[in-house]
Amino acid sequence: MKNTKWFKDAVIYQIYPRSFKDSNDDGMGDIKGIISKLDYLKNLGINCVWLSPVYESPNRDNGYDISDYYSIQKMFGTMDDFKLMLSEMHKRGIRLIMDLVMNHTSDQHPWFKSALNDVNSPYRDYYIFRKGKGKKEPNNWTGFFGGKAWEYTPNTDSYYLHLFTKEQPDLNWDNPKVREEFIKVIRFWCDLGVDGFRCDVINIISKDQRFLNQKGWALLKGGKYFINGPHLHEYLNQINKEALSHYDSMTVGETVFSNMDDMKKLTGEDRDELSMVFNFDHTSTDCFFGVKWLMRKFSLTRWKKALGKYQVGLQDIGWNSLFYENHDQRRSVGRFNTDGKEYREISAKMLATSVYFLKGTPFIYEGQELGMTNSDITDMKDYQDVETFNIYKTARELHLPKSYLKKAIPNGARDNARTPMQWDDSEYAGFSNHQPWLKVNANKSFINVKESISNPSSIYHYYQKLIKVRQEEKLVKDGIYEDLLPKSKKIYAYLRKGKDESLLVLANYSKDTIRLNLKEVNKPHKVLLNNYSEFSSDKLLPYQGIVLKIHNK
Ligand code: ISL
């Protein structure tokens, strides 16, 4: 079937299943819980869900370590529950994209179990086993969660590569059989009616087979040889041709440390690789070298540059994703110059206004529409994420001062975004009647769905309106992007230009009232969206965000 590019009209909501809604009171979110909240999602206005992994998994990395690509993990429900969820979504005009982890499996996957101790296993070459150099690893590559990327296996006196935890061995994509396996997996889920995939760390699947040491200073050693590796585009093209293109599906690839050239290739409309990708240039504007542990003051000019670069670069070539939260990022409240206190709601609305009127497909992470905040965990033992433990261990080994960890962990912990969804102000926030797997944030007493729905000026209602305006305005899809004040340290002002009319988006990323002197504001206009009840063309109020439709003449 020819791809209809429905993804350009999609507004996608990410569900992190273990934290969304628990239907059977075991403290863990599940599929039946999701089904019970579909009307909530429909009312928000979204038309597609991205579901983080629900496949069978030992959960070393919360499902990003898959041990069976064809079954649903018991704690989330059954295959029948899944099918029911999918049909209930489709009934409501909501599509579903699954999260597919193709770079690595769990070490409990039967392929790896067979490969581990038997050099003659047909699955040995599904993974990347190499002999060490003397008593040392095959090379100096390191992993995303800190530490070495090779694990020694005494039985065969060799090492295997794992760019995440050692329980997540990397697959060998140069083996055509591995590619065949994923063609089968994709076809299986698409045949069930699934509408596409979010492809986990997709730009690291192709490794330079020389396995060279990376010389010089680098936090992620080896990246040079596996990020956007030699056969990446060829392999994605094959997957597209042999699986995805047979369905009306979309894909969004998660790309780490991406660059423009590869972004153009990955998303190019004439290339048949992916529909769009997530890149992290903008979410890395408050750290050094794209590494969140190396904290740095946020800069609006860097933020605009990062977002604008791909708006301009992919114009007429590919397609962008628009996001600033997900299950790996800390919450946006109090981040990117927004305010966590007095202006929490107003600044959250401003942020949404300024990002979601760019060209691309918006992604909203669960709870973002409520202005949910970072976790209030203070005790190391309350964290659940393997990355946090690994980084803590690495930092201790490097003798980094405790004072650094005291700041870095609460700042960087991925559990910040994984706390249970706050449905109401009851003991477990209406997520469950049982103690949840991760601590509920105490601010559920005033940040929750029940309150948001009953309060007409809530972030939730603003999102509803924003989505509606977005869907009604053709210029959101087609307008040409132009940054009007690239040097301003407090204002993000851009146009989405059309032939006769344009959208003008103005956002004040500060607590100050700012004088405006823009000729575009004085053209005849209509206010489409505003997070204040007033607007005057010569100033922006603290954290004001506004979208105007203007006549070009
Ligand atoms: O969260 C990160 C580091 O703090 C990122 O580098 C993250 O590891 C990277 O974006 C890849 O993320 C994806 O793959 C991981 C998984 O743990 C993440 O949850 C997933 O989004 C391994 O599958």
Side-chain angles (χ1 to χ4, degrees):
M1 187 200 286
K2 190 84 197 105
N3 192 307
T4 53
K5 308 241 184 290
W6 55 265
F7 63 81
K8 293 191 176 178
D9 295 304
V11 178
I12 303 182
Y13 188 93
Q14 183 191 353
I15 292 182
Y16 196 64
R18 58 176 54 219
S19 302
F20 192 61
K21 173 72 189 164
D22 175 14
S23 74
N24 61 349
D25 290 332
D26 60 356
M28 183 64 69
D30 49 48
I31 291 175
K32 282 197 175 132
I34 298 174
I35 299 174
S36 72
K37 295 297 182 187
L38 290 178
D39 287 333
Y40 167 76
L41 296 180
K42 177 77 190 159
N43 286 335
L44 178 60
I46 60 99
N47 54 19
C48 183
V49 162
W50 150 25
L51 185 61
S52 279
V54 289
Y55 316 90
E56 199 55 73
S57 161
N59 291 310
R60 181 71 184 138
D61 187 16
N62 291 1
Y64 285 87
D65 47 329
I66 300 173
S67 54
D68 181 355
Y69 289 85
Y70 297 96
S71 66
I72 299 294
Q73 185 169 165
K74 283 173 205 67
M75 74 183 191
F76 290 139
T78 63
M79 188 56 98
D80 282 341
D81 296 337
F82 179 85
K83 287 181 185 162
L84 179 65
M85 175 183 73
L86 185 58
S87 78
E88 289 296 317
M89 284 179 171
H90 285 168
K91 236 195 249 170
R92 290 169 176 77
I94 298 174
R95 288 184 159 100
L96 175 66
I97 64 172
M98 304 270 287
D99 207 321
L100 192 54
V101 186
M102 299 188 273
N103 176 67
H104 45 269
T105 66
S106 157
D107 65 345
Q108 297 307 304
H109 194 292
W111 301 336
F112 190 73
K113 282 188 169 172
S114 160
L116 183 60
N117 292 321
D118 177 5
V119 285
N120 296 317
S121 156
Y123 296 106
R124 182 79 174 178
D125 195 37
Y126 272 40
Y127 295 90
I128 303 171
F129 285 93
R130 288 289 181 280
K131 287 284 174 204
K133 280 198 183 135
K135 287 221 163 345
K136 286 181 75 182
E137 291 78 18
N139 64 26
N140 68 352
W141 294 6
T142 53
F144 284 82
F145 295 159
K148 302 217 159 96
W150 296 97
E151 182 70 11
Y152 182 62
T153 61
N155 287 0
T156 62
D157 184 28
S158 51
Y159 293 80
Y160 67 85
L161 182 74
H162 62 91
L163 293 174
F164 294 89
T165 67
K166 67 176 173 12
E167 293 86 2
Q168 290 165 296
D170 278 55
L171 285 160
N172 172 22
W173 271 70
D174 287 337
N175 180 348
K177 288 198 184 126
V178 168
R179 306 199 294 273
E180 283 306 319
E181 295 282 3
F182 284 108
I183 288 167
K184 253 172 61 195
V185 169
I186 289 172
R187 283 180 165 269
F188 172 82
W189 291 101
C190 286
D191 286 338
L192 272 183
V194 159
D195 301 287
F197 301 91
R198 176 262 188 192
C199 307
D200 193 63
V201 284
I202 199 67
N203 68 328
I204 62 171
I205 55 172
S206 166
K207 277 89 178 170
D208 185 326
Q209 290 300 302
R210 293 171 298 166
F211 290 96
L212 299 174
N213 280 330
Q214 177 163 341
K215 298 205 182 90
W217 186 86
L219 262 175
L220 187 68
K221 281 224 165 76
K224 188 175 160 191
Y225 299 111
F226 58 75
I227 294 171
N228 304 317
H231 300 287
L232 171 67
H233 302 292
E234 178 192 324
Y235 294 159
L236 287 178
N237 191 258
Q238 182 189 352
I239 297 289
N240 190 306
K241 209 187 269 147
E242 293 177 34
L244 293 160
S245 64
H246 297 262
Y247 305 88
D248 189 17
S249 64
M250 72 150 269
T251 45
V252 51
E254 187 203 26
T255 56
V256 286
F257 302 102
S258 48
N259 61 54
M260 181 64 77
D261 196 38
D262 286 295
M263 288 270 289
K264 282 184 180 165
K265 289 185 179 146
L266 290 166
T267 69
E269 293 205 2
D270 55 343
R271 290 182 56 91
D272 298 329
E273 292 184 26
L274 300 168
S275 314
M276 67 189 99
V277 303
F278 294 127
N279 81 71
F280 299 95
D281 288 13
H282 61 299
T283 55
S284 301
T285 47
D286 56 2
C287 61
F288 290 100
F289 311 114
V291 178
K292 67 183 171 188
W293 308 108
L294 304 177
M295 296 167 287
R296 180 186 197 184
K297 195 171 175 309
F298 172 78
S299 134
L300 181 64
T301 47
R302 273 202 300 276
W303 170 262
K304 293 189 287 192
K305 208 167 151 196
L307 288 167
K309 180 173 147 194
Y310 295 105
Q311 289 291 304
V312 175
L314 296 188
Q315 173 72 37
D316 300 326
I317 293 178
W319 192 251
N320 276 297
S321 67
L322 307 172
F323 80 98
Y324 46 84
E325 285 198 16
N326 67 31
H327 64 292
D328 293 334
Q329 298 285 323
R330 68 179 191 278
R331 292 286 186 178
S332 61
V333 170
R335 195 180 174 191
F336 312 127
N337 265 11
T338 67
D339 185 48
K341 297 196 173 96
E342 187 189 349
Y343 294 106
R344 179 181 64 88
E345 293 182 272
I346 231 54
S347 65
K349 294 173 190 172
M350 178 285 293
L351 189 62
T353 311
S354 73
V355 174
Y356 291 142
F357 279 84
L358 293 168
K359 184 169 177 174
T361 298
F363 288 77
I364 300 166
Y365 178 64
E366 64 180 39
Q368 185 190 319
E369 76 279 19
L370 311 175
M372 272 179 65
T373 67
N374 280 342
S375 141
D376 55 8
I377 292 176
T378 50
D379 200 332
M380 259 315 275
K381 75 172 182 351
D382 285 334
Y383 286 113
Q384 300 291 332
D385 182 18
V386 63
E387 182 201 45
T388 302
F389 300 128
N390 282 6
I391 293 287
Y392 188 82
K393 197 170 143 248
T394 308
R396 296 301 294 150
E397 282 162 9
L398 293 171
H399 302 293
L400 295 182
K402 277 206 168 140
S403 56
Y404 163 76
L405 282 173
K406 244 184 148 168
K407 262 186 155 170
I409 298 282
N411 180 65
R414 302 191 298 183
D415 285 337
N416 275 324
R418 299 177 178 182
T419 59
M421 178 77 174
Q422 293 166 200
W423 297 100
D424 61 34
D425 62 0
S426 62
E427 186 175 9
Y428 299 126
F431 164 76
S432 178
N433 291 309
H434 181 280
Q435 170 109 39
W437 70 278
L438 182 65
K439 185 177 177 295
V440 172
N441 197 313
N443 63 22
K444 49 107 189 166
S445 59
F446 63 99
I447 302 175
N448 62 62
V449 169
K450 200 166 157 213
E451 195 284 330
S452 296
I453 289 179
S454 66
N455 170 6
S457 64
S458 66
I459 303 172
Y460 170 86
H461 286 298
Y462 189 83
Y463 266 62
Q464 259 183 338
K465 180 140 190 243
L466 181 152
I467 293 171
K468 203 156 166 277
V469 172
R470 216 187 178 276
Q471 302 294 52
E472 284 165 4
E473 273 306 327
K474 219 176 139 319
L475 283 167
V476 177
K477 226 159 93 177
D478 306 334
I480 310 270
Y481 171 85
E482 184 187 333
D483 186 347
L484 295 174
L485 299 170
K487 294 206 176 106
S488 167
K489 294 195 168 96
K490 293 187 172 167
I491 304 285
Y492 194 4
Y494 64 85
L495 285 173
R496 300 290 316 280
K497 288 188 292 189
K499 199 165 150 276
D500 302 314
E501 293 177 314
S502 301
L503 298 179
L504 172 61
V505 181
L506 302 170
N508 180 358
Y509 277 68
S510 85
K511 279 193 179 96
D512 307 324
T513 297
I514 311 264
R515 291 268 141 225
L516 256 190
N517 184 15
L518 273 176
K519 64 177 191 315
E520 283 78 5
V521 189
N522 297 316
K523 293 181 174 167
H525 65 245
K526 192 175 139 202
V527 176
L528 299 184
L529 194 66
N530 185 0
N531 63 351
Y532 278 83
S533 49
E534 72 254 48
F535 171 63
S536 67
S537 56
D538 60 348
K539 63 169 190 270
L540 285 179
L541 298 169
Y543 294 114
Q544 185 157 27
I546 186 155
V547 181
L548 304 178
K549 187 162 183 176
I550 61 171
H551 284 283
N552 289 345
K553 287 202 192 91

Short mmCIF file of all heavy atoms in Angstrom, two decimals, residues 61 64 101 104 144-145 164 168 198 200-201 254 256 280 292 327-328 387 414 418, ligand 1:
data_model
loop_
_atom_site.label_atom_id
_atom_site.label_comp_id
_atom_site.label_asym_id
_atom_site.label_seq_id
_atom_site.Cartn_x
_atom_site.Cartn_y
_atom_site.Cartn_z
N ASP A 61 16.10 -2.79 31.67
CA ASP A 61 16.00 -1.39 31.26
C ASP A 61 14.54 -1.07 30.91
O ASP A 61 14.24 -0.52 29.86
CB ASP A 61 16.95 -1.15 30.06
CG ASP A 61 17.04 0.32 29.66
OD1 ASP A 61 16.65 1.19 30.45
OD2 ASP A 61 17.51 0.58 28.53
N TYR A 64 13.24 -1.95 27.42
CA TYR A 64 14.13 -1.68 26.28
C TYR A 64 15.17 -2.80 26.13
O TYR A 64 16.17 -2.66 25.46
CB TYR A 64 14.77 -0.29 26.40
CG TYR A 64 13.77 0.80 26.07
CD1 TYR A 64 12.93 1.33 27.04
CD2 TYR A 64 13.59 1.24 24.75
CE1 TYR A 64 11.97 2.30 26.73
CE2 TYR A 64 12.64 2.20 24.43
CZ TYR A 64 11.84 2.72 25.42
OH TYR A 64 10.89 3.66 25.10
N VAL A 101 12.91 -1.96 19.51
CA VAL A 101 14.33 -1.89 19.87
C VAL A 101 15.07 -2.89 18.98
O VAL A 101 14.98 -4.10 19.19
CB VAL A 101 14.54 -2.23 21.36
CG1 VAL A 101 16.00 -2.00 21.75
CG2 VAL A 101 13.61 -1.41 22.23
N HIS A 104 19.61 -3.87 19.93
CA HIS A 104 20.06 -4.90 20.88
C HIS A 104 18.85 -5.71 21.34
O HIS A 104 17.71 -5.29 21.16
CB HIS A 104 20.74 -4.25 22.09
CG HIS A 104 20.00 -3.06 22.64
ND1 HIS A 104 20.24 -1.77 22.21
CD2 HIS A 104 19.00 -2.96 23.54
CE1 HIS A 104 19.44 -0.92 22.86
NE2 HIS A 104 18.66 -1.63 23.66
N PHE A 144 26.69 3.89 26.62
CA PHE A 144 25.88 5.07 26.91
C PHE A 144 25.62 5.26 28.40
O PHE A 144 25.32 6.35 28.84
CB PHE A 144 24.53 4.97 26.18
CG PHE A 144 24.63 5.27 24.72
CD1 PHE A 144 25.05 4.30 23.82
CD2 PHE A 144 24.33 6.53 24.23
CE1 PHE A 144 25.15 4.57 22.46
CE2 PHE A 144 24.43 6.83 22.88
CZ PHE A 144 24.84 5.85 21.99
N PHE A 145 25.65 4.17 29.16
CA PHE A 145 25.37 4.30 30.59
C PHE A 145 26.65 4.31 31.42
O PHE A 145 26.65 4.02 32.60
CB PHE A 145 24.46 3.14 31.06
CG PHE A 145 23.08 3.14 30.44
CD1 PHE A 145 22.33 1.98 30.42
CD2 PHE A 145 22.52 4.30 29.93
CE1 PHE A 145 21.04 1.97 29.87
CE2 PHE A 145 21.24 4.30 29.37
CZ PHE A 145 20.50 3.13 29.35
N PHE A 164 24.67 -0.51 25.78
CA PHE A 164 23.90 -0.10 26.96
C PHE A 164 24.30 -1.05 28.09
O PHE A 164 25.48 -1.33 28.23
CB PHE A 164 22.40 -0.05 26.62
CG PHE A 164 22.11 1.04 25.62
CD1 PHE A 164 22.17 0.80 24.25
CD2 PHE A 164 21.89 2.34 26.05
CE1 PHE A 164 22.00 1.82 23.33
CE2 PHE A 164 21.71 3.38 25.13
CZ PHE A 164 21.77 3.11 23.77
N GLN A 168 22.08 -6.05 27.65
CA GLN A 168 21.51 -5.62 26.36
C GLN A 168 22.56 -5.78 25.25
O GLN A 168 23.08 -4.78 24.73
CB GLN A 168 21.06 -4.15 26.45
CG GLN A 168 19.83 -3.94 27.34
CD GLN A 168 19.63 -2.48 27.72
OE1 GLN A 168 20.46 -1.89 28.40
NE2 GLN A 168 18.53 -1.88 27.29
N ARG A 198 8.36 3.55 16.63
CA ARG A 198 9.41 4.45 17.07
C ARG A 198 10.63 3.52 17.19
O ARG A 198 10.59 2.51 17.88
CB ARG A 198 9.03 5.05 18.42
CG ARG A 198 10.10 5.96 19.05
CD ARG A 198 10.90 5.20 20.08
NE ARG A 198 11.79 6.05 20.85
CZ ARG A 198 12.75 5.59 21.63
NH1 ARG A 198 12.93 4.30 21.77
NH2 ARG A 198 13.52 6.40 22.29
N ASP A 200 14.11 2.63 18.32
CA ASP A 200 15.07 2.96 19.37
C ASP A 200 16.49 3.05 18.81
O ASP A 200 16.90 2.21 18.00
CB ASP A 200 15.00 1.84 20.43
CG ASP A 200 15.69 2.20 21.72
OD1 ASP A 200 15.24 3.15 22.37
OD2 ASP A 200 16.67 1.51 22.09
N VAL A 201 17.23 4.04 19.27
CA VAL A 201 18.64 4.27 18.87
C VAL A 201 19.01 3.72 17.49
O VAL A 201 20.00 3.01 17.32
CB VAL A 201 19.66 3.74 19.92
CG1 VAL A 201 19.72 4.67 21.10
CG2 VAL A 201 19.37 2.33 20.37
N GLU A 254 14.84 7.18 16.65
CA GLU A 254 15.57 7.93 17.68
C GLU A 254 17.03 7.96 17.25
O GLU A 254 17.66 6.92 17.07
CB GLU A 254 15.45 7.23 19.03
CG GLU A 254 16.06 8.08 20.14
CD GLU A 254 16.48 7.29 21.37
OE1 GLU A 254 16.76 6.08 21.25
OE2 GLU A 254 16.55 7.90 22.44
N VAL A 256 20.83 9.42 18.05
CA VAL A 256 21.69 10.09 19.04
C VAL A 256 22.83 10.77 18.30
O VAL A 256 23.34 10.24 17.32
CB VAL A 256 22.22 9.06 20.07
CG1 VAL A 256 21.13 8.65 21.03
CG2 VAL A 256 22.79 7.82 19.39
N PHE A 280 18.48 15.34 19.38
CA PHE A 280 18.53 15.90 20.72
C PHE A 280 19.36 17.18 20.81
O PHE A 280 19.80 17.56 21.88
CB PHE A 280 19.04 14.83 21.71
CG PHE A 280 18.12 13.64 21.76
CD1 PHE A 280 18.36 12.52 20.98
CD2 PHE A 280 16.98 13.67 22.55
CE1 PHE A 280 17.50 11.44 20.98
CE2 PHE A 280 16.10 12.59 22.57
CZ PHE A 280 16.36 11.47 21.78
N LYS A 292 24.10 14.94 29.45
CA LYS A 292 23.32 15.63 30.47
C LYS A 292 24.02 15.73 31.82
O LYS A 292 23.69 16.57 32.64
CB LYS A 292 21.97 14.95 30.64
CG LYS A 292 22.07 13.56 31.22
CD LYS A 292 20.71 12.91 31.30
CE LYS A 292 20.89 11.45 31.66
NZ LYS A 292 19.68 10.69 31.59
N HIS A 327 10.51 9.79 28.05
CA HIS A 327 10.81 8.99 29.25
C HIS A 327 12.28 9.02 29.64
O HIS A 327 12.64 8.46 30.67
CB HIS A 327 10.37 7.55 28.99
CG HIS A 327 11.16 6.91 27.89
ND1 HIS A 327 11.05 7.33 26.57
CD2 HIS A 327 12.10 5.94 27.89
CE1 HIS A 327 11.89 6.62 25.83
NE2 HIS A 327 12.54 5.77 26.61
N ASP A 328 13.14 9.61 28.80
CA ASP A 328 14.57 9.70 29.13
C ASP A 328 14.97 11.10 29.59
O ASP A 328 16.08 11.30 30.08
CB ASP A 328 15.44 9.38 27.91
CG ASP A 328 15.34 7.94 27.45
OD1 ASP A 328 15.04 7.07 28.29
OD2 ASP A 328 15.57 7.69 26.25
N GLU A 387 20.24 3.15 34.62
CA GLU A 387 21.22 4.16 34.19
C GLU A 387 21.73 4.96 35.41
O GLU A 387 22.92 5.22 35.54
CB GLU A 387 20.61 5.14 33.18
CG GLU A 387 21.64 6.14 32.71
CD GLU A 387 21.05 7.42 32.13
OE1 GLU A 387 20.12 7.99 32.72
OE2 GLU A 387 21.55 7.86 31.10
N ARG A 414 16.55 9.61 34.91
CA ARG A 414 15.42 9.42 33.99
C ARG A 414 14.11 9.16 34.74
O ARG A 414 13.03 9.38 34.19
CB ARG A 414 15.73 8.29 33.01
CG ARG A 414 16.99 8.55 32.20
CD ARG A 414 17.16 7.60 31.06
NE ARG A 414 17.29 6.21 31.51
CZ ARG A 414 17.51 5.18 30.68
NH1 ARG A 414 17.58 5.39 29.38
NH2 ARG A 414 17.64 3.95 31.14
N ARG A 418 9.35 9.47 34.91
CA ARG A 418 8.68 8.16 34.91
C ARG A 418 7.77 7.97 36.10
O ARG A 418 7.22 6.88 36.29
CB ARG A 418 9.75 7.06 34.87
CG ARG A 418 10.61 7.16 33.62
CD ARG A 418 11.73 6.14 33.59
NE ARG A 418 12.49 6.26 32.34
CZ ARG A 418 13.50 5.48 31.98
NH1 ARG A 418 13.88 4.50 32.78
NH2 ARG A 418 14.12 5.66 30.83
O1 ISL B 1 18.87 8.68 28.31
C1 ISL B 1 19.95 8.77 27.78
C2 ISL B 1 21.16 9.00 28.51
O2 ISL B 1 20.83 9.61 29.67
C3 ISL B 1 20.11 8.65 26.37
O3 ISL B 1 21.43 8.67 25.98
C4 ISL B 1 19.47 7.35 25.93
O4 ISL B 1 20.17 6.29 26.45
C5 ISL B 1 19.49 7.28 24.45
O5 ISL B 1 18.72 8.34 23.99
C6 ISL B 1 18.91 5.97 23.98
O6 ISL B 1 17.64 5.79 24.53
C7 ISL B 1 16.86 4.69 24.15
O7 ISL B 1 17.57 3.48 24.21
C8 ISL B 1 17.97 3.02 25.50
C9 ISL B 1 16.85 3.10 26.53
O8 ISL B 1 17.39 2.94 27.81
C10 ISL B 1 16.10 4.41 26.47
O9 ISL B 1 15.05 4.43 27.37
C11 ISL B 1 15.66 4.58 25.05
O10 ISL B 1 14.85 5.72 24.87
C12 ISL B 1 18.44 1.61 25.32
O11 ISL B 1 17.47 0.87 24.65
#
